[in-house]
């Protein structure tokens, strides 16, 4: 198994542009988590899905952020429009119930 | 103004010595705890987990201890190696099933 795969690894975009981050889960995992990591705030949970259904999106900063899980193996996190304060490393992680998550390598987003 | 960022506790240990990383958790409802290791430029990596019905669990060179009375979790790494240098995070589920909340992390540096 290749593990959790995120793309792109790095993204540099101009303020106001739309950004889409992608995540492929580990086969057989039924939970998907999006985290954001910054020096100021550490690791923050943005949203998580269970069996493709969003369970808790209370960490999503504002309406500019949206996440989807169109099937059991894939998810996207979209920021529209992006702002410089969105610059961070975004991780997705997948897991099976009550076991530790497996994280992807992250997407480093820079909004200029 | 200048961003201060999170202040990570740091621990420096001589190669070959044992290290202990501590974590205080806040929620008495938490019943599942995990330790993660994050190397520079990588996603957090699962090390070991423990459930609240246990007070100790051992892995390869690592031991996790849980003291529910004082809400304290520790990670012991035996015979440390240079590759153990990383930031270590504890995470708890706060009684909310699989949703994990991460601590701020501790930076461990192994001195050759």
């Amino acid at each position: 198994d290749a593990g959790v795969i995120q793309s792109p690894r790095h993204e540099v975009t101009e303020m106001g542009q739309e950004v889409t981050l992608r995540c492929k889960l580990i086969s057989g995992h039924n939970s998907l988590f999006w985290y954001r990591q910054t020096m100021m705030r550490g690791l923050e949970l943005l949203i998580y899905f269970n069996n493709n259904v969003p369970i808790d999106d209370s960490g999503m900063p504002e309406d500019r952020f949206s996440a989807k899980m169109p099937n059991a193996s894939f998810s996207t996190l979209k920021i529209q429009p992006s702002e410089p304060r969105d610059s961070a490393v975004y991780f997705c992680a997948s897991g099976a119930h009550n076991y530790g998550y497996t994280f992807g390598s992250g997407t480093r987003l820079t909004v200029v | 103004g200048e961003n201060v960022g999170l202040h990570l506790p740091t621990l420096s240990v001589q190669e070959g010595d044992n290290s202990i990383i501590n974590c205080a958790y806040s929620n008495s409802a938490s019943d599942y705890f995990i330790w993660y290791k994050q190397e520079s430029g990588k996603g957090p990596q699962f090390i070991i987990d423990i459930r609240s019905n246990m007070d100790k669990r051992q892995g390869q060179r690592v031991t996790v201890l849980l003291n529910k009375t004082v809400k304290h979790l520790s990670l012991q790494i035996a015979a440390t190696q240079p590759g153990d240098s990383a930031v270590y995070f504890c995470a708890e589920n706060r009684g909310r099933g699989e949703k994990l909340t991460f601590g701020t992390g501790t930076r461990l540096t192994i001195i050759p």
Side-chain angles (χ1 to χ4, degrees):
Chain A
D1 197 327
V4 175
I5 300 172
Q6 290 187 246
S7 64
R9 287 298 310 273
H10 303 275
E11 176 81 25
V12 180
T13 191
E14 290 185 346
M15 182 174 63
Q17 296 298 305
E18 177 180 297
V19 175
T20 299
L21 312 181
R22 296 174 174 80
C23 175
K24 184 176 185 301
L25 284 70
I26 291 176
S27 176
H29 283 187
N30 60 351
S31 296
L32 181 282
F33 306 83
W34 280 103
Y35 279 84
R36 176 171 68 177
Q37 187 173 38
T38 61
M39 287 296 294
M40 288 293 292
R41 301 171 70 91
L43 266 168
E44 303 174 277
L45 178 65
L46 300 177
I47 184 171
Y48 87 93
F49 295 81
N50 186 262
N51 293 324
N52 305 1
V53 177
I55 302 300
D56 185 342
D57 65 355
S58 59
M60 295 286 262
E62 49 198 90
D63 291 345
R64 297 184 298 107
F65 285 68
S66 62
K68 293 183 179 179
M69 197 166 175
N71 58 57
S73 61
F74 184 72
S75 177
T76 59
L77 177 69
K78 187 174 293 187
I79 309 172
Q80 166 64 17
S82 57
E83 297 181 2
R85 61 192 168 121
D86 302 330
S87 297
V89 181
Y90 290 81
F91 289 103
C92 75
S94 73
H97 183 64
N98 270 354
Y99 290 93
Y101 311 165
T102 300
F103 280 78
S105 298
T107 295
R108 180 175 294 277
L109 173 66
T110 303
V111 183
V112 298
Chain B
E2 185 177 328
N3 287 334
V4 175
L6 291 171
H7 174 66
L8 288 186
T10 59
L11 175 65
S12 295
V13 174
Q14 203 71 38
E15 181 180 355
D17 287 352
N18 299 334
S19 68
I20 300 176
I21 301 171
N22 296 303
C23 179
Y25 66 93
S26 57
N27 197 312
S28 56
S30 293
D31 58 10
Y32 182 55
F33 306 86
I34 308 178
W35 280 99
Y36 281 89
K37 171 187 179 184
Q38 187 176 24
E39 297 174 272
S40 180
K42 297 183 179 179
Q45 177 187 3
F46 175 94
I47 301 174
I48 191 167
D49 60 359
I50 189 168
R51 300 193 183 282
S52 58
N53 61 351
M54 303 172 70
D55 53 21
K56 180 179 179 179
R57 191 156 187 241
Q58 288 184 292
Q60 186 178 15
R61 286 201 305 118
V62 295
T63 301
V64 55
L65 299 178
L66 175 62
N67 185 328
K68 294 181 287 293
T69 303
V70 295
K71 300 194 192 70
H72 185 266
L73 192 68
S74 68
L75 176 71
Q76 301 176 0
I77 305 174
T80 53
Q81 304 167 356
D84 295 329
S85 293
V87 177
Y88 289 81
F89 293 94
C90 64
E92 60 179 305
N93 73 342
R94 295 191 176 177
R96 295 177 187 169
E98 56 199 344
K99 176 180 174 179
L100 292 179
T101 300
F102 285 76
T104 55
T106 297
R107 184 178 301 281
L108 175 66
T109 301
I110 306 303
I111 304 166

